Amino acid sequence: MLTVPVRQLGETERGAVERILDLDPFAAPQVAERVAASGLAWWRSEGRIFGYGPRRQLESLCWSGGHLTPVHASPAAVGAFAERLAIEERTCSSIVGRAEAVLGLWERLGEQWGPAREIRADQPLLVADRPAAVPADPGVRLVRPDEVDLLFPAAVAMYTEEVGVSPVVDDAGRGYRRRIAELVRARRAYARIVDGTVVFKAELAVVTRHTAQIQGVWVDPLWRGRGLATPAMATVVRDALRRVAPTVSLYVNDYNAAARRVYDRCGFRAAGSFATILF
């Protein structure tokens, strides 16, 4: 029997949750963004937050929604979260977060929740807090609301290439298109558009008071190898730091050597390792 049981947290414990999130602001910004926007009411935030630790001294968190994300999770917390989650069927499409905690959860839940479609065990987490010391691309800019139809095919291509499944399968892409349109309206989507075609794109998919997390970085295959990515990313980093957050962050597959070279040139530094279990 667990001496420190896991419990679902409510709005009265929001301060304690925010304290834990602040301890590791780059590991779970998507959770921090949800909490800031919707609080801890699961029917508003579309997810639940479980806590581990004595009632007066919360130690670790685990977000359970479309994705499962452990936050500041010690080995004891990982074991406790796994024991709590094992009584439910899997509903998440991925487990993502700090590698040690994610892989610890998967070691305990894999037999019940598996098989996984893919396990990405080492994804460097990178952070930058100053503009890149390379020239920026003046052709990269924020996407306008009337350009969503131009951006959407590029976003679908990026998602399919990165995740391995198309985002338009379940509902003909309506939900994914809404998400892209929301990012455009929020001035969080960047692109370089040449003759009506998006040749580079990136989004600030998550924004908190600590960081803007960049996702969806993509270069049209016909434009790869031309040196486009580094100045394009330099533009994104520069604008995000000036306008949105004090840092920018992202995580990248360890085997993506080309992308890692781009991020290194743009001044990103290592901040640990992520892992992702895809279902």
Side-chain angles (χ1 to χ4, degrees):
M1 179 172 296
L2 294 171
T3 57
V4 182
V6 167
R7 63 190 188 280
Q8 184 173 334
L9 304 177
E11 190 63 28
T12 59
E13 294 173 286
R14 182 167 176 172
V17 168
E18 291 174 342
R19 176 181 61 81
I20 297 295
L21 291 169
D22 283 346
L23 291 175
D24 197 354
F26 306 120
Q30 71 277 18
V31 179
E33 185 181 55
R34 287 290 186 91
V35 170
S38 304
L40 272 66
W42 63 266
W43 59 89
R44 291 200 303 267
S45 61
E46 299 180 342
R48 297 171 292 166
I49 293 186
F50 295 107
Y52 173 84
R55 188 161 295 275
R56 293 179 178 274
Q57 189 59 46
L58 192 64
E59 298 175 10
S60 304
L61 307 173
C62 189
W63 166 269
S64 178
H67 308 285
L68 185 71
T69 301
V71 184
H72 202 254
S74 64
V78 168
F81 289 139
E83 184 168 331
R84 172 61 181 81
L85 293 164
I87 67 176
E88 303 179 359
E89 292 186 2
R90 177 183 63 80
T91 58
C92 61
S93 62
S94 67
I95 308 174
V96 59
R98 292 279 183 185
E100 184 176 351
V102 167
L103 297 175
L105 284 173
W106 182 239
E107 182 180 0
R108 294 165 173 83
L109 294 171
E111 184 174 349
Q112 179 177 338
W113 281 14
R117 181 167 55 82
E118 187 176 354
I119 298 174
R120 300 179 180 180
D122 183 11
Q123 298 173 298
L125 174 63
L126 307 174
V127 177
D129 59 5
R130 63 194 66 187
V134 295
D137 182 349
V140 174
R141 58 173 175 80
L142 291 168
V143 180
R144 300 191 306 263
D146 65 327
E147 294 174 319
V148 171
D149 287 340
L150 294 180
L151 181 60
F152 184 66
V156 171
M158 178 283 305
Y159 188 101
T160 304
E161 182 178 339
E162 172 64 20
V163 180
V165 296
S166 172
V168 306
V169 171
D170 292 335
D171 62 352
R174 290 185 293 272
Y176 190 61
R177 192 184 189 284
R178 282 195 300 271
R179 172 59 175 163
I180 297 301
E182 288 170 1
L183 291 171
V184 170
R185 283 195 298 271
R187 305 181 75 224
R188 287 161 55 171
Y190 300 85
R192 185 179 185 193
I193 302 173
V194 177
D195 296 330
T197 298
V198 171
V199 300
F200 167 86
K201 63 168 284 293
E203 292 91 40
L204 306 180
V206 180
V207 173
T208 72
R209 62 192 178 92
H210 295 293
T211 195
Q213 188 180 85
I214 301 173
Q215 294 181 13
V217 179
W218 180 83
V219 175
D220 185 313
L222 295 177
W223 285 72
R224 293 175 188 174
R226 302 190 190 186
L228 171 64
T230 296
M233 276 298 297
T235 300
V236 174
V237 170
R238 182 169 300 178
D239 183 72
L241 291 176
R242 176 186 63 83
R243 190 176 55 85
V244 181
T247 69
V248 291
S249 56
L250 55 83
Y251 56 99
V252 59
N253 293 317
D254 64 323
Y255 52 79
N256 194 341
R260 294 181 67 178
R261 285 194 295 270
V262 168
Y263 302 144
D264 184 61
R265 292 171 187 146
C266 288
F268 284 85
R269 67 180 189 278
S273 180
F274 261 34
T276 302
I277 313 296
L278 293 168
F279 299 104

